[in-house]
Each structure stands twice: as C-alpha cells, then as structure tokens.
C-alpha cells in the first residue's frame, strides 16, 4: 500500500523560505514519478514540480527559479525547497506519485493517483 506523508508546512513572511518533506512508503515499482501539487481555495490544483526515477525534474513557470524539488532515494523522501515565497504561494501542498513511462506531462495533476494528506503553507505579513 502506497503511503505519502507530508511535513514542513507553516506560516512564513513574504520573501521567506520553507522546506517541505514527503516520506514515501509502498512504492515498490521503480518507475514512479513524484511531484508536489498545491491547491488554494477556489483555485485548481497546480503541479509545481516533479521528479522521475532518473532524477529528471520539471517545474511549473510559477515556481521556476524559486522552488527546488529533490529526492533522497535511500530515505525514500521527497523534498521541496521553497525560496522567495509570495502571498500567492499560500495553499495546501500535497505530495503525489504515479507510475511513469515517459509518455505524459509530469505537470498534469490528473495523472497522479497516490496522494498525501497535505500540509498548509501560509505566506503573509
């Protein structure tokens, strides 16, 4: 059974930084793509960043240059380093995973079928 557990959310001032973590278990197949997805109230889910089994990363335009996704294969943990945070980054942030064969865009949230419970990030002065 796949389980994804996020941590590291919280409140931060604009311009600040946060690092989210996602502890994964049950991902027995080697070809998983993992991503960070956020959803703000009244807005659609947005895949911010994804990383595949080869370590190739993909970023949404909204976070390119500010957010960095990484993965510790030994600990099976996914990270999202978020810098230069803006009030519009306020949202619930989710870790997600899906089997990946290279045929679909990792920024499509509908392709992910395993989800964590989410962690709230609030950017406010």
């Amino acid at each position: 059974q796949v389980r994804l557990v996020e941590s590291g959310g919280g409140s931060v001032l604009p311009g600040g930084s946060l690092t989210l973590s996602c502890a994964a278990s049950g991902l027995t197949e080697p070809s998983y793509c993992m991503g960070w997805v956020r959803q703000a109230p009244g807005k659609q889910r947005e895949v911010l960043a994804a990383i595949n089994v080869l370590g190739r990363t993909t970023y949404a335009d909204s976070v390119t240059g500010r957010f960095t996704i990484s993965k510790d294969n030994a600990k099976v943990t996914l990270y999202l380093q978020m810098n230069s945070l803006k009030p519009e980054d306020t949202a619930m942030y989710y870790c997600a995973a899906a089997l990946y064969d290279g045929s679909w865009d990792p920024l499509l949230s509908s392709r992910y079928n395993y989800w964590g419970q989410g962690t709230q990030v609030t950017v406010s002065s």
Side-chain angles (χ1 to χ4, degrees), residues 12-18 66-67 81-86 123:
V12 63
L13 295 172
S17 299
L18 276 177
R66 299 190 299 126
F67 291 9
Q81 173 67 43
M82 305 186 292
N83 298 324
S84 302
L85 283 162
K86 306 174 183 179
V123 185

Side-chain angles (χ1 to χ4, degrees), residues 7-36:
S7 61
S11 296
V12 63
L13 295 172
S17 299
L18 276 177
T19 300
L20 305 183
S21 300
C22 171
S25 60
L27 296 175
T28 56
E29 296 290 334
S31 300
Y32 274 99
C33 180
M34 297 187 72
W36 286 99

Side-chain angles (χ1 to χ4, degrees), residues 16-67:
S17 299
L18 276 177
T19 300
L20 305 183
S21 300
C22 171
S25 60
L27 296 175
T28 56
E29 296 290 334
S31 300
Y32 274 99
C33 180
M34 297 187 72
W36 286 99
V37 185
R38 71 183 177 192
Q39 186 165 26
K43 295 188 177 181
Q44 291 187 332
R45 288 185 304 188
E46 177 187 17
V47 180
L48 307 174
I51 185 167
N52 68 14
V53 67
L54 299 178
R56 180 175 179 177
T57 57
T58 306
Y59 293 93
D61 290 343
S62 59
V63 303
T64 296
R66 299 190 299 126
F67 291 9

Side-chain angles (χ1 to χ4, degrees), residues 4-10 18-23 36 77-80 82 93-95 117-121:
L4 305 173
V5 181
E6 303 95 336
S7 61
L18 276 177
T19 300
L20 305 183
S21 300
C22 171
W36 286 99
T77 301
L78 186 72
Y79 302 98
L80 184 68
M82 305 186 292
Y93 283 67
Y94 299 91
C95 175
Q117 82 288 349
T119 186
Q120 177 68 36
V121 172

Side-chain angles (χ1 to χ4, degrees), residues 57-116:
T57 57
T58 306
Y59 293 93
D61 290 343
S62 59
V63 303
T64 296
R66 299 190 299 126
F67 291 9
T68 303
I69 189 171
S70 61
K71 185 171 61 170
D72 184 327
N73 290 323
K75 296 180 180 178
V76 198
T77 301
L78 186 72
Y79 302 98
L80 184 68
Q81 173 67 43
M82 305 186 292
N83 298 324
S84 302
L85 283 162
K86 306 174 183 179
E88 51 264 44
D89 293 318
T90 296
M92 186 69 80
Y93 283 67
Y94 299 91
C95 175
L99 284 172
Y100 183 68
D101 60 3
S103 66
W104 48 274
D105 184 352
L107 297 183
L108 289 177
S109 62
S110 59
R111 299 304 299 256
Y112 291 88
N113 51 350
Y114 298 108
W115 295 82

